[in-house]
Amino acid sequence: MSQLIEGFLGKSIDGKKSKMPAKLDYIQSATGLILGLFMWAHMFFVSTILVSDDFFDSVVHFLELKFIINSPMMSYITSFLAACVLVIFFVHAGLAMRKFPINFRQYQLCRTHLKYMNHGDSSLWWVQAATGFVMFFLGSAHLIFVITNADKISADMSGDRVVSHFMWLFYIALLICVELHGSIGLYRLCVKWGWFEGEDAKESRKKLKKAKWFISIFFLVLGVLSLAAFAKIGFNNYQNNSVAQIVKTYDGAKYEHTI
């Protein structure tokens, strides 16, 4: 009965409010911070392709601890880590959905509030909500692919996927959503919990917002360059494979065969 009363009034029978919303908010912030920092590390890892194909492959080799046991089975380390990230991702997304407008009336109220308040951080929340919605599908698909294909992570194989399967469209959309969502989320975490606030909170917020845009642009450029590097590898491999099969010799005669 006490839970029923609390469900209607928002308070228990002794007049105390539940601490559960605050706990859930804390978990949402914590999982968001973990995912944001992970994405930064992930982007720096992917960008090693800009150094060379071999360097990228050597980093994959190192992260999978193949310098200890050089076995294909070590790729399961990547699968395990990706599965952990996927669980954190689902927890974060599930908790974030609590704050989404769930019907048209709530959506109207949010839009009206945004229009008349003309508040920059509120606008950023809408961008974060929209990119988060898209990420739920694209991010889940990417992580599930990594879990089930951890043994196929290399410069050549990744390049082939980007070009041959038109995955560059998928990764461009995912890149934009991830970098915008992540940078806005980390900025809002700093504001919400008072990190780096200093003596002048207003001035600190301005600096945090500038840092947010710098980080967004930096990782977007880094991501596009990395994707272009994979596309170049995939295109070169595609051309080389095609050229190798174009000319076939039969009884001394040459025939052209287009792949």
Side-chain angles (χ1 to χ4, degrees):
M1 179 61 71
S2 62
Q3 291 182 346
L4 185 62
I5 294 174
E6 186 176 353
F8 279 107
L9 302 180
K11 296 181 181 180
S12 61
I13 54 178
D14 56 0
K16 294 181 180 179
K17 289 187 177 181
S18 174
K19 295 181 180 180
M20 185 55 67
K23 292 179 180 178
L24 294 178
D25 209 42
Y26 179 80
I27 296 173
Q28 181 185 343
S29 296
T31 52
L33 177 62
I34 292 171
L35 291 172
L37 296 178
F38 168 78
M39 285 313 306
W40 284 359
H42 179 269
M43 185 54 67
F44 281 123
F45 155 65
V46 172
S47 66
T48 57
I49 192 64
L50 297 174
V51 179
S52 70
D53 304 9
D54 292 337
F55 186 65
F56 176 84
D57 291 338
S58 65
V59 172
V60 175
H61 189 278
F62 175 80
L63 293 177
E64 292 180 343
L65 305 181
K66 288 183 178 177
F67 60 91
I68 299 176
I69 303 175
N70 191 7
S71 167
M73 297 294 291
M74 298 300 285
S75 296
Y76 285 115
I77 293 177
T78 300
S79 296
F80 173 75
L81 293 176
C84 292
V85 173
L86 183 63
V87 171
I88 297 173
F89 180 74
F90 281 156
V91 171
H92 180 72
L95 293 175
M97 287 176 62
R98 297 176 302 132
K99 301 179 180 179
F100 280 25
I102 60 174
N103 54 48
F104 183 69
R105 177 57 179 162
Q106 290 186 2
Y107 171 78
Q108 281 184 315
L109 290 173
C110 288
R111 291 295 298 176
T112 302
H113 171 81
L114 179 65
K115 179 179 179 181
Y116 286 100
M117 287 291 291
N118 194 25
H119 188 245
D121 284 9
S122 297
S123 299
L124 288 178
W125 182 87
W126 274 105
V127 175
Q128 190 182 17
T131 53
F133 178 79
V134 176
M135 278 176 56
F136 181 78
F137 300 99
L138 300 187
S140 300
H142 175 62
L143 287 169
I144 291 172
F145 178 84
V146 172
I147 293 171
T148 56
N149 294 272
D151 59 329
K152 297 180 177 63
I153 299 177
S154 69
D156 285 334
M157 290 182 180
S158 298
D160 289 339
R161 282 194 298 272
V162 169
V163 173
S164 301
H165 302 287
F166 288 92
M167 290 295 287
W168 61 272
L169 292 170
F170 174 91
Y171 286 121
I172 283 179
L174 181 60
L175 172 67
I176 293 173
C177 290
V178 165
E179 299 310 332
L180 290 179
H181 185 91
S183 60
I184 293 173
L186 291 174
Y187 160 75
R188 296 184 73 244
L189 276 181
C190 292
V191 173
K192 181 174 184 176
W193 298 102
W195 301 339
F196 312 109
E197 190 171 276
E199 297 180 358
D200 190 343
K202 189 174 182 179
E203 185 63 27
S204 297
R205 181 173 293 196
K206 289 181 180 179
K207 291 179 179 179
L208 283 172
K209 190 167 287 189
K210 289 180 181 178
K212 182 203 74 65
W213 285 115
F214 173 80
I215 291 171
S216 294
I217 294 172
F218 173 77
F219 280 108
L220 279 172
V221 171
L222 188 64
V224 169
L225 292 176
S226 301
L227 184 59
F230 281 114
K232 181 180 179 182
I233 293 170
F235 184 72
N236 288 339
N237 290 343
Y238 179 79
Q239 278 192 318
N240 293 336
N241 291 336
S242 297
V243 170
Q245 299 178 57
I246 282 177
V247 178
K248 288 187 174 182
T249 303
Y250 181 72
D251 288 338
K254 291 185 177 180
Y255 296 90
E256 289 189 354
H257 178 67
T258 303
I259 304 303

